[in-house]
Amino acid sequence: MAVRNHITGKRLFWSLMAALTVVTFAFILRPEPVWVDLSTAQRGPLEVTVREEGKTRVKDRYLVSSPVTGFVHRLELDVGDTVIPGELLTLIDPMPASILDARSRAEAEARVAAARSSLQSIRQKAAAAEADADFSQQEYQRLLALRPSSFVSDEQLQQARTTAARAQAILRSARFDEEVASHELAAAQTRLQVSSATANGGKPAERVAVRSPIHGAVLGLVRKSEGIVQAGEPLLELGDPGTLEVVVDVLSFDAVKLEPGLATRLTGWGGPTLNAVIRRVEPVGFQDVSALGVEEQRVKVIADMLSPHEHWQLLGDGYRVDAEFILWQAEDALQVPASALFRHNNGYAVFKVTGDRANIQPVEAGHGNGLSTVILSGLDEGDRVVRHPERGLNDGDRIRVR
């Protein structure tokens, strides 16, 4: 009996040793945990935007040219100086004019008649624009009065405000065109009258005054010094700095996502954030070369200011701004870093961390801005996921956080 117990004890001892050896080798040979970086699914605001550099420009620009061939006096104005309609810009001493024959006089008279008809046409357009502006303002005031009763949504009120602002801008543009047309008529009449022999035998004009057609500022001086100029030669450029628009060159890939009326945010100009709205996406693209020497197809996008003028009164023509076109936004969305998602079974998935192991978790992904992606289903707030999962990481692998 003692011998049998001794043999049984030895067997038990060696069995335990063998089991311990197997466990030891299994522990030594088991795969090492994969080092990973983790992130947490959390709720918060998210925006999907297209961001590009743009520049401001005056909407209505007017190039003032010499109405006659002659000797122009030196322009005493500087860039940025304000001008009012009818203000004297410079004087031109005409060259000795030739006698107008019957054909030349008839052509000059036809030009005067055409300019007069053009002025009448523009006045009619200005009257129509004024009627549209009055109607848009009345509609906005009507919706504003209904707002406390909750019969009007914020979106309808915003659309009415935008429509009223746009109608006012169109009216100002029409009035500028009317002023320009009236001065074009005056220029045509001057060209008819200034000659060595007028129809009524009067004395020829000895000096022609070039006056401002608009209320605005000097945007550029094409010619400052005195000298001989030809009829139609540009002298200076005028415009109203209070009617700015923003021009943004957008990649054609992003331009197809934009449409008129889309909200835009302007930053990076040295002042507060400004609100704008897309007015036009031009249908024609152009080729540009990036800073890295890559040829790109770009499209010009035009945006109008919505913020009050006092917020951007320091902006001028040709200033740089950063434009963000807001494609989508949410105030409270469950999101994870975009680097945590990967393609899986014709969909998306993440490595969800449970304990010390990472398991593949299929998810339904929504909008993303390149940094974060909205998760519609598959995760809950507070779930931990692996960022930048390595190719060697498999379902159920042990992990270790860096």
Side-chain angles (χ1 to χ4, degrees):
M1 180 64 70
V3 174
R4 181 180 297 177
N5 291 338
H6 178 69
I7 293 174
T8 302
K10 290 178 64 177
R11 288 179 177 175
L12 181 60
F13 172 76
W14 288 112
S15 297
L16 290 175
M17 291 298 295
L20 182 60
T21 303
V22 171
V23 171
T24 302
F25 274 101
F27 181 80
I28 295 174
L29 298 178
R30 69 173 181 172
E32 287 290 329
V34 180
W35 290 92
V36 297
D37 294 320
L38 301 184
S39 183
T40 303
Q42 55 187 359
R43 290 189 171 276
L46 183 68
E47 288 185 343
V48 180
T49 62
V50 173
R51 184 185 179 93
E52 291 285 355
E53 288 187 7
K55 65 178 181 179
T56 59
R57 74 178 181 188
V58 173
K59 284 185 180 180
D60 301 297
R61 310 173 74 95
Y62 301 94
L63 192 62
V64 180
S65 305
S66 173
V68 295
T69 298
F71 186 87
V72 64
H73 291 229
R74 181 178 177 84
L75 273 73
E76 301 298 334
L77 296 171
D78 292 320
V79 175
D81 289 349
T82 58
V83 294
I84 59 176
E87 179 179 347
L88 179 64
L89 302 178
T90 187
L91 294 172
I92 298 177
D93 296 329
M95 303 290 288
S98 59
I99 299 175
L100 294 178
D101 55 22
R103 174 182 173 182
S104 299
R105 180 167 295 281
E107 290 177 349
E109 292 174 348
R111 292 190 188 97
V112 172
R116 186 178 291 110
S117 299
S118 177
L119 176 60
Q120 294 298 327
S121 175
I122 292 175
R123 283 175 176 172
Q124 294 299 319
K125 292 179 181 179
E130 184 176 3
D132 289 341
D134 291 341
F135 176 78
S136 300
Q137 185 64 28
Q138 293 174 3
E139 181 68 11
Y140 170 65
Q141 294 297 332
R142 184 182 70 83
L143 294 178
L144 189 63
L146 293 176
R147 184 66 186 91
S149 60
S150 300
F151 285 107
V152 178
S153 64
D154 291 338
E155 182 179 358
Q156 289 177 311
L157 192 61
Q158 179 64 32
Q159 289 178 351
R161 185 186 299 114
T162 302
T163 302
R166 187 177 301 147
Q168 289 294 334
I170 294 174
L171 175 60
R172 288 195 297 269
S173 179
R175 286 174 175 171
F176 284 142
D177 291 340
E178 180 181 356
E179 293 174 359
V180 172
S182 64
H183 286 277
E184 288 178 348
L185 174 60
Q189 292 172 337
T190 301
R191 189 172 180 82
L192 175 63
Q193 296 170 359
V194 177
S195 62
S196 294
T198 59
N200 56 10
K203 295 182 179 180
E206 297 182 354
R207 180 169 287 180
V208 176
V210 179
R211 301 184 181 276
S212 170
I214 63 167
H215 185 287
V218 179
L219 301 181
L221 296 174
V222 181
R223 183 188 182 108
K224 187 174 180 66
S225 300
E226 63 181 12
I228 301 297
V229 294
Q230 299 296 319
E233 184 175 337
L235 299 177
L236 72 167
E237 189 175 24
L238 304 178
D240 183 6
T243 57
L244 288 181
E245 62 185 6
V246 180
V247 184
V248 187
D249 295 341
V250 179
L251 290 172
S252 58
F253 174 82
D254 294 325
V256 297
K257 307 173 186 176
L258 308 178
E259 60 183 11
L262 195 66
T264 305
R265 186 166 51 236
L266 304 177
T267 58
W269 62 277
T273 299
L274 304 176
N275 295 322
V277 63
I278 293 179
R279 184 175 84 248
R280 183 173 70 253
V281 180
E282 294 189 352
V284 179
F286 61 95
Q287 191 175 78
D288 192 17
V289 180
S290 69
L292 299 178
V294 180
E295 292 185 351
E296 301 172 335
Q297 289 300 122
R298 291 188 172 267
V299 176
K300 289 189 179 296
V301 178
I302 315 300
D304 290 330
M305 296 285 192
L306 290 182
S307 296
H309 180 260
E310 55 267 20
H311 292 176
W312 50 272
Q313 60 183 348
L314 298 180
L315 270 177
D317 182 57
Y319 281 40
R320 174 195 173 279
V321 296
D322 290 330
E324 290 182 277
F325 303 106
I326 304 174
L327 303 179
W328 180 87
Q329 60 182 351
E331 294 298 329
D332 185 30
L334 183 64
Q335 54 193 286
V336 297
S339 58
L341 278 80
F342 58 90
R343 301 293 297 183
H344 179 71
N345 292 339
N346 297 324
Y348 288 95
V350 297
F351 277 104
K352 180 180 176 181
V353 177
T354 304
D356 64 345
R357 294 188 180 274
N359 301 302
I360 294 179
Q361 174 64 47
V363 296
E364 183 181 357
H367 291 87
N369 59 7
L371 297 177
S372 299
T373 301
V374 174
I375 301 300
L376 302 178
S377 63
L379 289 177
D380 295 323
E381 185 177 6
D383 288 344
R384 296 186 303 165
V385 296
V386 177
R387 298 180 60 185
H388 303 288
E390 300 178 357
R391 291 184 178 273
L393 183 62
N394 298 311
D395 187 25
D397 282 354
R398 296 172 57 247
I399 62 169
R400 181 177 298 171
V401 182
R402 288 190 177 93

